[in-house]
Amino acid sequence: MPAQELPPVRNFSPKTYGAENQNWSATQADNRKMYFANNKGLLEFNGSQWNLYPTPNESIMRSVCWHAGRIYTGSYMDFGYWESEPTGVLKYTSLVQKLKVPIKEDEQFWQIISSESLVLIQSLDRIYTYDPQKDEVKKVMDIDGLTKIFKVGNRLFYNVLGNGLYEIVDGTARLIAAQDRV
């Protein structure tokens, strides 16, 4: 029986990619380019060359997700998407500004998930959905203690500290497992 091989791992220093040492999230596009949410902005890597796109509001970029031809990112007080122009340079569109999304003071967007036709954007207190077809953002939930939203197969879950595990079904929260109170 042949031994299982591990893929080669390449490490890059911040000096090599021209940004800071903290990368919060990563995604891969259909064209196989890699994108990283970095303290300095959006890092793009095509396998040999790095490009840095600074966060428009000069804050730390926390999340990144590829969905249907766009790169979605979240940062301090903003979320939106990047699209490639004919020159190959990425251009940013803030959904918060464009659609006048009412967000909380000091809100940061820590997680973005691609789900079927929607994009889910998570802060520490809220979950938003963006429908690219309708160009519409909706606040799905406002929850104190929201820790993480995650996808398993085609199902979406989130955890609330001191409360339990929930599943989002048709835009509605359903408690799956209550947290035992000690």
Side-chain angles (χ1 to χ4, degrees), residues 1 3 24-25 32-33 38 60 65 71 79 83 90 92 103 110 114 123 127 135 137 144 151-152 169 174 179 181:
M1 175 175 253
W24 294 91
S25 180
R32 300 180 52 103
K33 288 183 181 179
N38 182 275
I60 294 172
C65 180
I71 303 123
F79 60 85
E83 291 181 296
L90 297 178
Y92 182 70
I103 60 175
W110 290 89
S114 173
S123 69
I127 299 172
D135 198 25
V137 171
D144 287 332
K151 184 176 176 182
V152 179
V169 180
R174 185 173 68 192
Q179 184 174 340
R181 308 258 180 201

Side-chain angles (χ1 to χ4, degrees), residues 14-142:
K15 183 178 177 184
T16 301
Y17 55 74
E20 291 193 6
N21 66 350
Q22 196 157 18
N23 294 299
W24 294 91
S25 180
T27 193
Q28 186 173 23
D30 289 345
N31 62 9
R32 300 180 52 103
K33 288 183 181 179
M34 294 295 301
Y35 295 92
F36 303 88
N38 182 275
N39 281 1
K40 284 285 189 191
L42 179 65
L43 278 171
E44 176 185 57
F45 184 59
N46 67 8
S48 63
Q49 182 181 2
W50 291 93
N51 290 308
L52 173 64
Y53 296 91
T55 309
N57 65 8
E58 299 181 2
S59 67
I60 294 172
M61 187 172 290
R62 301 285 188 192
S63 54
V64 62
C65 180
W66 171 261
H67 177 84
R70 292 177 174 164
I71 303 123
Y72 289 84
T73 59
S75 59
Y76 175 78
M77 300 291 290
D78 195 20
F79 60 85
Y81 59 85
W82 302 77
E83 291 181 296
S84 184
E85 294 186 323
T87 60
V89 174
L90 297 178
K91 181 182 176 193
Y92 182 70
T93 300
S94 168
L95 289 170
V96 171
Q97 290 177 5
K98 178 183 172 187
L99 302 176
K100 298 182 181 10
V101 178
I103 60 175
K104 293 173 79 171
E105 186 65 33
D106 294 330
E107 195 165 13
Q108 294 188 58
F109 300 95
W110 290 89
Q111 180 78 14
I112 301 176
I113 294 177
S114 173
S115 176
E116 310 268 328
S117 61
L118 298 176
V119 177
L120 283 87
I121 302 109
Q122 180 228 320
S123 69
L124 293 179
D125 300 309
R126 293 180 172 175
I127 299 172
Y128 299 84
T129 59
Y130 174 63
D131 184 334
Q133 297 298 324
K134 295 179 183 176
D135 198 25
E136 180 180 75
V137 171
K138 290 183 181 177
K139 180 178 71 172
V140 177
M141 294 167 200
D142 201 340

